[in-house]
Amino acid sequence: MKTWNLTKQNLPNLIQKINELDFSKRWKIVFYEQTEKRSNEQNERLWGYLYPNIGKHFGYTSSDIHNICKYKFLKTEVVVENEVIPVLKSTTKLNVKEFTEYMENVEQWAIENGWSPN
């Protein structure tokens, strides 16, 4: 599989590549919007500030708080052969916007439960 980061400037090159395909074969082309993954600064704030301080407030480790918050805010469900199975989305897969929302949810939950962000 080949990937192509499409820009306005390289669109003619992509069109040329498509025209060069062997059309005696079947091809599948998939387009999706590329989003930026969480930033290093976001990750540092989560693991360097939020998790340790919230963990200290509740008496848990940063890793425990991470798992608790993933379950609370990133849990989805899939059905496999009529069985509902909980699935936790990884924070490493969140884009910048999703990661911001996740951190806001974590912080708001902690504040509602007596944590003070000083």
Side-chain angles (χ1 to χ4, degrees), residues 39-92:
S39 71
N40 290 335
E41 293 81 13
Q42 286 178 307
N43 198 49
E44 288 170 13
R45 180 172 187 271
L46 184 67
W47 284 97
Y49 171 71
L50 286 177
Y51 283 163
N53 289 297
I54 292 170
K56 190 180 298 180
H57 171 76
F58 288 112
Y60 291 103
T61 67
S62 293
S63 184
D64 291 335
I65 294 298
H66 176 64
N67 289 326
I68 290 166
C69 291
K70 277 180 40 170
Y71 187 82
K72 184 160 184 61
F73 301 112
L74 299 177
K75 183 179 75 167
T76 60
E77 296 176 337
V78 296
V79 178
V80 178
E81 296 188 6
N82 296 322
E83 181 182 358
V84 178
I85 301 171
V87 176
L88 303 180
K89 189 171 184 178
S90 171
T91 57
T92 63

Side-chain angles (χ1 to χ4, degrees), residues 1-108:
M1 181 168 90
K2 294 183 181 183
T3 59
W4 187 279
N5 291 317
L6 183 60
T7 65
K8 192 173 188 176
Q9 291 75 29
N10 71 13
L11 178 60
N13 295 332
L14 178 60
I15 292 169
Q16 178 183 345
K17 292 286 185 193
I18 291 171
N19 285 328
E20 292 170 359
L21 292 174
D22 178 356
F23 285 101
S24 66
K25 298 177 183 178
R26 294 180 63 186
W27 296 94
K28 178 184 267 189
I29 298 174
V30 178
F31 291 96
Y32 62 91
E33 182 179 359
Q34 183 175 347
T35 57
E36 296 298 321
K37 296 287 184 196
R38 66 184 181 175
S39 71
N40 290 335
E41 293 81 13
Q42 286 178 307
N43 198 49
E44 288 170 13
R45 180 172 187 271
L46 184 67
W47 284 97
Y49 171 71
L50 286 177
Y51 283 163
N53 289 297
I54 292 170
K56 190 180 298 180
H57 171 76
F58 288 112
Y60 291 103
T61 67
S62 293
S63 184
D64 291 335
I65 294 298
H66 176 64
N67 289 326
I68 290 166
C69 291
K70 277 180 40 170
Y71 187 82
K72 184 160 184 61
F73 301 112
L74 299 177
K75 183 179 75 167
T76 60
E77 296 176 337
V78 296
V79 178
V80 178
E81 296 188 6
N82 296 322
E83 181 182 358
V84 178
I85 301 171
V87 176
L88 303 180
K89 189 171 184 178
S90 171
T91 57
T92 63
K93 304 293 183 197
L94 301 177
N95 64 35
V96 171
K97 182 178 183 243
E98 292 168 331
F99 203 87
T100 298
E101 290 171 0
Y102 172 73
M103 284 196 303
E104 288 171 353
N105 287 333
V106 168
E107 193 166 3
Q108 185 60 40

